[in-house]
Amino acid sequence: MGESDGPTGRAWVEVDIGALRRNAEALAKLARPARLLPMVKADGYGLGAARVVEALRPTNPWGFGVATVEEGAVLRAAGADERIVVFSPCGPRDADDLLREGLEPVVTSVEAMSAYAATSRQAGTPLSVHLEIDTGMGRAGLPAESLESWFADAVQMLQAGALRLESTFSHFHSAESAEQETREQWESYERVLGRLEAADVGAGALHMANSAAALRFPDFRADVIRPGIFLYGGGRAPAPAEVRSENVVSIRARVLDVRELAEGSSVSYGATYITPSRSRVATLGIGYADGLPHSLSNRGTALLGGHRVPIRGAVCMDVTVVDVTDLKGVSSGSVATLLGADGAEVITLEELAERAGRLEYEVVTGLGARLPRISVDRGRDAGEAGTRVATADAAAER
């Protein structure tokens, strides 16, 4: 069952760069004329940010989004010359690094604007910034509800010339589920934009829509959309029928051992599973240290030879046991799939996350560093008979 497929290691992650690009192209087509600002933070949602940027470059994005200065610097070192927006608030100590790396921070307070302006004047180079408005997320940004407390100072800073305002944006907090609140947030955002226009301050590009908002609310796509989980094969629930994300991530693991167990045998730590009859089990070379959620113990499934097999007992740090009693041909070296497709069967990111009681984001960003990331490009209809286009171990790509 697939012993010769894949690399020689115990477990690995496959990243379908073709599916990743097609997901982006589908959103770009849907949102046009709005452009994409793909989120590649957390090392490209755990898949390798440089790999993701390279895959999405042909879609002509408006820029890429990261969370930290360090993430942006890594992309610059990898050769990315596109706009890179740092979405987590940065401190004054980061200003020199932002200028040196050509990164564009969000500004979330008048104090931050003042600090950045001082550094810009000293360097003799305007710093491109993105003005964040808090319309209800409550974690960062200039609060729309207390506009009068900051507006005059912010306008003065922006008109002084040391800062170049590239965009004004906000975050929806529940676009996938709460329509009324989403519309109220948009109205709050528009009121701030109206005040900026009245003050003769160019707001730059406008953006507020994440994946869910871009799919559900056409009126809120503005100039730019900020897709995240949809690009990586998640976020399916709110999508219209004509726009569905393709699976991007596959998790594979080899069978390390196959054994027969008598009726009444215990399996794994805690003996949480007892065989009801004589059983045959396979031990897979993947565990929670690799990012396979422990919560899949006794409730998750894997695919072997195109068939579903249940996880039995507790997921361990390094290995996981599955029941292969009803399968023939499973032996040491066979390849199991924990996420992705095997023949006609598929475990989607949505399914795995639901079974594990996790967010889809947690699953992909939680994949362990010891799993090599391998690029493949299967083509839309190629199934599992895809062509591997690049291979690298975790140290080289992450």
Side-chain angles (χ1 to χ4, degrees):
M1 289 190 174
E3 183 171 350
S4 62
D5 296 336
T8 57
R10 55 188 284 279
W12 62 93
V13 175
E14 294 174 1
V15 183
D16 190 334
I17 57 174
L20 176 66
R21 186 179 299 119
R22 288 190 296 275
N23 288 342
E25 289 170 344
L27 280 179
K29 181 178 179 181
L30 180 75
R32 198 172 289 137
R35 296 176 64 188
L36 303 187
L37 175 55
M39 293 294 105
V40 297
K41 57 188 178 178
D43 195 23
Y45 282 48
L47 306 182
R51 171 190 287 110
V52 173
V53 167
E54 182 179 359
L56 298 185
R57 186 168 284 127
T59 66
N60 189 31
W62 188 74
F64 291 97
V66 299
T68 68
V69 173
E70 292 78 10
E71 288 181 343
V74 167
L75 283 178
R76 289 288 186 240
D81 59 3
E82 293 86 357
R83 168 184 282 117
I84 297 177
V85 183
V86 182
F87 275 91
S88 291
C90 301
R93 65 188 182 281
D94 296 314
D96 290 334
D97 292 337
L98 289 163
L99 280 168
R100 184 180 62 255
E101 299 290 350
L103 307 177
E104 302 179 4
V106 303
V107 288
T108 60
S109 67
V110 173
E111 291 75 18
M113 294 172 73
S114 178
Y116 289 149
T119 300
S120 296
R121 286 192 293 269
Q122 185 175 6
T125 303
L127 178 65
S128 292
V129 299
H130 301 260
L131 183 64
E132 180 175 0
I133 307 300
D134 181 10
T135 58
M137 180 67 84
R139 64 181 187 184
L142 292 156
E145 64 181 14
S146 56
L147 178 69
E148 300 305 331
S149 68
W150 57 263
F151 187 79
D153 290 337
V155 167
Q156 183 179 10
M157 289 283 181
L158 293 172
Q159 291 177 333
L163 303 177
R164 183 166 49 237
L165 185 58
E166 300 288 352
S167 78
T168 301
F169 73 101
S170 188
H171 290 275
F172 290 119
H173 57 67
S174 304
E176 72 285 349
S177 59
E179 180 172 350
Q180 182 60 33
E181 289 87 342
T182 299
R183 295 190 181 280
E184 290 172 358
Q185 280 192 265
W186 179 259
E187 291 169 1
S188 181
Y189 174 60
E190 283 192 315
R191 284 193 291 272
V192 175
L193 295 177
R195 287 293 300 274
L196 288 172
E197 183 178 6
D200 198 27
V201 174
L206 309 181
H207 52 102
M208 194 165 175
N210 57 3
S211 295
L215 292 165
R216 297 188 69 205
F217 300 100
D219 293 343
F220 302 161
R221 291 171 185 155
D223 300 317
V224 175
I225 64 172
R226 304 191 305 265
I229 195 63
F230 184 92
L231 297 175
Y232 304 100
R236 294 164 177 243
E242 67 274 17
V243 183
R244 305 292 287 177
S245 61
E246 296 184 42
N247 289 312
V248 170
V249 186
S250 298
I251 303 173
R252 317 283 189 193
R254 290 198 180 276
V255 173
L256 304 180
D257 184 78
V258 181
R259 62 184 52 223
E260 301 284 341
L261 297 179
E263 178 182 347
S265 298
S266 58
V267 178
S268 196
Y269 286 115
T272 59
Y273 182 79
I274 305 296
T275 56
S277 58
R278 188 169 184 82
S279 302
R280 189 166 181 254
V281 299
T283 301
L284 308 181
I286 190 169
Y288 60 76
D290 302 296
L292 188 68
H294 183 270
S295 54
L296 291 176
S297 301
N298 287 311
R299 63 185 301 178
T301 62
L303 305 177
L304 269 164
H307 299 277
R308 284 183 179 256
V309 294
I311 291 175
R312 298 303 195 197
V315 173
C316 303
M317 182 181 291
D318 309 301
V319 298
T320 298
V321 177
V322 295
D323 191 326
V324 295
T325 303
D326 298 328
L327 290 186
K328 295 180 180 179
V330 178
S331 60
S332 178
S334 295
V335 177
T337 297
L338 286 304
L339 172 63
D342 181 357
E345 280 284 356
V346 61
I347 299 173
T348 65
L349 181 56
E350 181 181 26
E351 177 191 341
L352 191 153
E354 183 176 343
R355 284 182 179 271
R358 298 280 186 88
L359 298 174
E360 294 172 332
Y361 306 83
E362 288 182 274
V363 173
V364 289
T365 61
L367 294 172
R370 69 183 178 185
L371 295 181
R373 273 58 165 174
I374 297 171
S375 294
V376 299
D377 191 348
R378 296 194 171 88
R380 188 182 301 273
D381 300 312
E384 291 303 289
T387 302
R388 182 164 293 109
V389 296
T391 303
D393 61 21
E397 294 264 350
R398 306 185 79 247

